[in-house]
Amino acid sequence: MFICIFLFIACPNKQGTNPTLYDAHDFVVQLDDQSFNDTVYCFDSTKIVSNSLFLDENTNNSLNASSKSNNNFVSGEVQSEINGRCTSIIVEFYSDWCGHCRAYSRLYKALAKDLLAWQGVIKFAAINCADPVNLDTCKDSSITHYPFLKYFPRNSLEANLNSSASVGQILRSYQSLAQMRDQITRVLLTEYEENRYEDWPKFEWLEDVETYNNLWKGIDTHISTLIVLFESNTNSLVGAQLLLDLSGYADKVVARRCVNNALANALQIKDFPTFAVFRRGERSPAYIAELRRLLLNEFEQLLRNDSKETSKRCKRAYFVSELDLLKSARIALFNDVQMIGGENITGQNLRALYEFVDILANYFPHRTIHPLLRETEFNASQNSREINEFNEKDNIENDQKNPFPISEEWEHCKGSSPVLRGYTCGLWTLFHVLTVNGYRNGQKDNSFDPLRLLLAIRDWVLSFFACDHCRVHFRKMTTKTARIETSINREEDVFLYLWKAHNLVNSRLHGRETEDPKFPKYQFPPNFLCQECRREINKEFDEDKIKNFLLLYYSDIRPIGRKGVEEEEGEEIEDKLE
């Protein structure tokens, strides 16, 4: 009969005397002879189960040759527990007197810090072989020079027990972080291919997805976010490294990598690598960005410097301009309507135009253009209206002393180049102002219908906005992804809905070529405009604070002709200099 004995091994207290190259702040575990096996092999002497192994008080916890020959050294139950809590590990064997080791330690520290997000999969350690107490461990590991790097897979304990040779894969000590990162990624992919650990990222390439439900196949229902990185070929390591970067968020996010396939074609992804973020329950990606463009934006933001003075300048650049509102209203009423409406405006287009003109007349915050708009009102029951007849309102503009600015430059909506921002920025601002002013007026008018206001905006966009691609996305967002008719339950939802919708668009377009680098598509409002708008705990928007902010921001309109704070301060300085 076999008797299994649990042994608690007391190791002699052998402290090394040599200096070490790493400390607790370096994200590198400094090993010695006593801690090497515990760390590298997840060896726990309190879990040893043996039927023929007798250890005396002079035995340490090293896995020496005699222990390797004992096939019953570790029970299956203990091995299962070890596999469940261990990671792969890289060990640098060095000598404290070695000048090259001291130089290389800077890169090794940087590598451990750079890959800190991978710590659920791999960790970094080091042992000083110049210290006499570590000599046996270094000899058993077949170290031939310094620095010497070895990669120990997660299942190294089993390999160590079943082999008389030294375990661990030798790695090259490259002099660049990128080369080291790529080398480590390759060995991790090889280990995953052999073992398919359940708690590691799923490195398999995503197969062709025919339906939306197939995209979420095999993903736990509590996971709400899926990130797919599209790459041009299977030799790329970018996707695997992104999966490792995100591995710390495995309880919230699943990331997969995908070679250019039907899904990429469906999303019209042409440039690689690009990633798409999907939310459970939503049929289209919440966010798509090419990595190169995203990194460029981050770099540009770094150059802008997030100092207090920069925040002040950014804050001054954000305001609601009456000039921008009027320019946008004129383009919307005349340019887009004339180009899209054709020779006659009929049916749904006619009703959409009437409703839009009506909300402009009722909710545009300044009286400047009200007389003009009142003149454009007409009976929606008319079957058609001639475009030329509608454009005769140019004469009314002259009579009203041209309230619409035409040649003036955009103010807040002026882009860093003529092709950026401008009309689209002004149009979104106009929509926000109409919803906020409509809500304010509605507090005094029981007949206010928030749904009608939003539907008027949607119908005008779908009937007349000249960007066909934009209309398609706007239709999908307002009729499916965030359907207006089912989203309005309170009067304040009239402007809160538009705020959420605009942020969805910002998220989708962030990192695209149409983004102005000087005006990144933040989730609005950015922190420099409203620090209290996000909760301290989870940094999510506080809707009550957002409500107050939006009401103030879109009601504080800078009239035509008023200079901004920076311009006024600049003129004051010039006056003093004169």
Side-chain angles (χ1 to χ4, degrees):
M1 182 177 68
F2 295 104
I3 300 176
C4 296
I5 304 174
F6 286 83
L7 299 175
F8 292 80
I9 304 174
C11 300
N13 186 19
K14 299 190 295 182
Q15 295 292 333
T17 57
N18 287 42
T20 59
L21 299 183
Y22 304 96
D23 57 36
H25 302 291
D26 295 325
F27 307 107
V28 175
V29 181
Q30 179 65 54
L31 302 175
D32 57 24
D33 185 62
Q34 295 184 41
S35 61
F36 185 86
N37 289 322
D38 288 351
T39 305
V40 173
Y41 302 116
C42 285
F43 178 81
D44 187 346
S45 58
T46 65
K47 298 289 186 179
I48 298 174
V49 180
S50 173
N51 62 6
S52 60
L53 182 64
F54 296 90
L55 303 176
D56 59 32
E57 62 181 4
N58 295 319
T59 305
N60 63 23
N61 63 348
S62 295
L63 296 179
N64 51 37
S66 63
S67 66
K68 291 179 184 180
S69 64
N70 191 321
N71 292 329
N72 295 321
F73 189 80
V74 178
S75 70
E77 180 182 351
V78 174
Q79 181 66 58
S80 176
E81 181 179 340
I82 287 172
N83 284 339
R85 63 184 175 85
C86 287
T87 68
S88 299
I89 190 166
I90 293 177
V91 179
E92 179 201 8
F93 298 83
Y94 70 90
S95 175
D96 62 77
W97 50 256
C98 166
H100 181 58
C101 295
R102 290 195 292 270
Y104 189 75
S105 67
R106 291 193 291 270
L107 185 139
Y108 196 64
K109 292 174 185 178
L111 179 66
K113 183 177 181 180
D114 182 60
L115 302 186
L116 186 61
W118 301 12
Q119 62 182 337
V121 174
I122 189 167
K123 292 184 174 67
F124 293 84
I127 185 168
N128 185 4
C129 294
D131 198 313
V133 300
N134 300 328
L135 184 60
D136 289 342
T137 297
C138 294
K139 286 175 62 178
D140 289 344
S141 299
S142 303
I143 304 306
T144 59
H145 59 270
Y146 307 118
F148 195 94
L149 296 181
K150 266 195 168 185
Y151 171 83
F152 294 89
R154 174 170 163 172
N155 57 4
S156 292
L157 175 59
E158 184 176 354
N160 193 55
L161 293 175
N162 296 325
S163 173
S164 59
S166 172
V167 299
Q169 179 180 342
I170 299 173
L171 300 182
R172 293 189 61 178
S173 53
Y174 289 112
Q175 298 299 308
S176 81
L177 285 178
Q179 287 177 301
M180 287 300 302
R181 187 165 49 242
D182 288 351
Q183 178 180 212
I184 293 168
T185 304
R186 290 189 183 95
V187 294
L188 288 174
L189 288 174
T190 299
E191 183 176 356
Y192 180 80
E193 186 66 28
E194 296 173 354
N195 298 280
R196 302 295 173 105
Y197 302 122
E198 289 293 329
D199 56 344
W200 276 26
K202 296 186 181 301
F203 291 113
E204 302 96 330
W205 294 99
L206 190 65
E207 298 178 355
D208 278 346
V209 178
E210 297 181 358
T211 66
Y212 173 80
N213 290 333
N214 287 342
L215 188 63
W216 293 87
K217 186 177 180 180
I219 299 177
D220 289 343
T221 55
H222 75 277
I223 301 294
S224 61
T225 303
L226 170 65
I227 298 176
V228 179
L229 186 99
F230 297 88
E231 302 185 74
S232 57
N233 63 80
T234 56
N235 294 323
S236 173
L237 299 176
V238 175
Q241 290 169 357
L242 178 65
L243 266 59
L244 287 162
D245 288 337
L246 294 172
S247 59
Y249 302 94
D251 59 328
K252 301 176 182 178
V253 176
V254 166
R256 299 297 303 272
R257 53 186 188 148
C258 178
V259 180
N260 183 15
N261 64 5
L263 181 58
N265 294 333
L267 297 175
Q268 298 182 347
I269 294 175
K270 308 293 184 185
D271 301 308
F272 304 95
T274 289
F275 71 91
V277 179
F278 296 86
R279 305 289 189 192
R280 189 181 290 275
E282 298 179 6
R283 297 283 174 172
S284 59
Y287 185 80
I288 297 178
E290 183 187 353
L291 284 186
R292 179 194 64 81
R293 183 70 190 178
L294 189 65
L295 292 173
L296 177 61
N297 289 341
E298 294 296 326
F299 179 68
E300 289 170 340
Q301 187 171 349
L302 178 65
L303 292 180
R304 284 193 292 271
N305 186 10
D306 192 21
S307 65
K308 290 184 178 180
E309 186 58 36
T310 302
S311 294
K312 289 180 182 178
R313 288 198 299 271
C314 289
K315 189 172 183 178
R316 291 169 186 163
Y318 280 79
F319 59 93
V320 179
S321 159
E322 183 186 19
L323 184 146
D324 290 354
L325 296 177
L326 290 169
K327 281 176 70 75
S328 301
R330 190 184 194 283
I331 295 172
L333 284 172
F334 297 115
N335 296 34
D336 282 357
V337 169
Q338 183 177 14
M339 183 168 65
I340 302 300
E343 293 184 0
N344 293 290
I345 305 174
T346 62
Q348 173 58 31
N349 286 356
L350 182 63
R351 287 189 292 273
L353 180 58
Y354 171 78
E355 290 292 332
F356 187 65
V357 168
D358 190 58
I359 65 168
L360 277 173
N362 287 314
Y363 303 128
F364 195 91
H366 289 258
R367 295 187 176 277
T368 316
I369 63 173
H370 279 202
L372 167 66
L373 290 172
R374 292 298 180 189
E375 290 294 328
T376 65
E377 290 184 9
F378 45 85
N379 191 337
S381 64
Q382 290 178 257
N383 293 326
S384 68
R385 191 170 185 87
E386 294 286 345
I387 279 289
N388 290 335
E389 183 183 350
F390 186 74
N391 285 337
E392 287 176 3
K393 303 311 171 194
D394 290 345
N395 298 328
I396 299 177
E397 282 191 272
N398 294 331
D399 294 341
Q400 298 295 325
K401 299 181 180 179
N402 297 304
F404 288 119
I406 298 176
S407 58
E408 289 86 345
E409 287 189 338
W410 298 96
E411 292 185 333
H412 161 67
C413 289
K414 182 180 180 180
S416 59
S417 81
V419 298
L420 297 174
R421 306 185 80 227
Y423 174 46
T424 53
C425 164
L427 192 62
W428 270 112
T429 307
L430 175 63
F431 293 162
H432 286 297
V433 167
L434 291 174
T435 56
V436 164
N437 206 44
Y439 169 79
R440 285 190 177 279
N441 291 351
Q443 301 305 294
K444 309 169 188 176
D445 182 4
N446 293 331
S447 64
F448 172 64
D449 184 355
L451 181 60
R452 180 187 174 224
L453 200 163
L454 284 174
L455 292 179
I457 291 174
R458 182 180 73 186
D459 291 346
W460 180 88
V461 171
L462 300 186
S463 293
F464 296 109
F465 191 49
C467 171
D468 182 64
H469 182 74
C470 306
R471 287 205 308 270
V472 170
H473 280 288
F474 197 80
R475 180 191 299 276
K476 188 173 184 179
M477 177 177 66
T478 57
T479 62
K480 294 181 179 179
T481 307
R483 190 167 181 261
I484 289 178
E485 288 85 345
T486 57
S487 301
I488 308 304
N489 301 306
R490 307 162 299 173
E491 288 188 347
E492 56 263 38
D493 288 337
V494 68
F495 63 87
L496 289 174
Y497 172 88
L498 200 66
W499 161 69
K500 294 174 184 176
H502 197 172
N503 271 342
L504 282 176
V505 175
N506 281 345
S507 178
R508 180 171 59 83
L509 297 181
H510 179 53
R512 300 286 183 92
E513 290 75 7
T514 55
E515 183 176 46
D516 191 327
K518 291 190 176 180
F519 284 86
K521 293 190 179 296
Y522 298 107
Q523 289 296 285
F524 190 85
N527 191 54
F528 58 76
L529 279 182
C530 183
Q531 292 184 356
E532 65 274 12
C533 283
R534 290 183 182 270
R535 298 186 180 94
E536 286 293 331
I537 299 176
N538 54 17
K539 300 302 179 183
E540 292 183 354
F541 283 121
D542 184 328
E543 196 163 292
D544 289 335
K545 300 290 178 60
I546 288 292
K547 174 184 173 181
N548 294 332
F549 170 81
L550 295 176
L551 287 172
L552 291 173
Y553 183 81
Y554 288 110
S555 298
D556 184 18
I557 299 172
R558 182 183 296 179
I560 292 178
R562 178 184 293 179
K563 294 182 174 67
V565 176
E566 278 188 315
E567 294 173 299
E568 291 174 351
E569 289 178 350
E571 289 186 358
E572 288 178 6
I573 293 172
E574 289 179 1
D575 291 341
K576 290 178 181 179
L577 290 175
E578 291 176 355

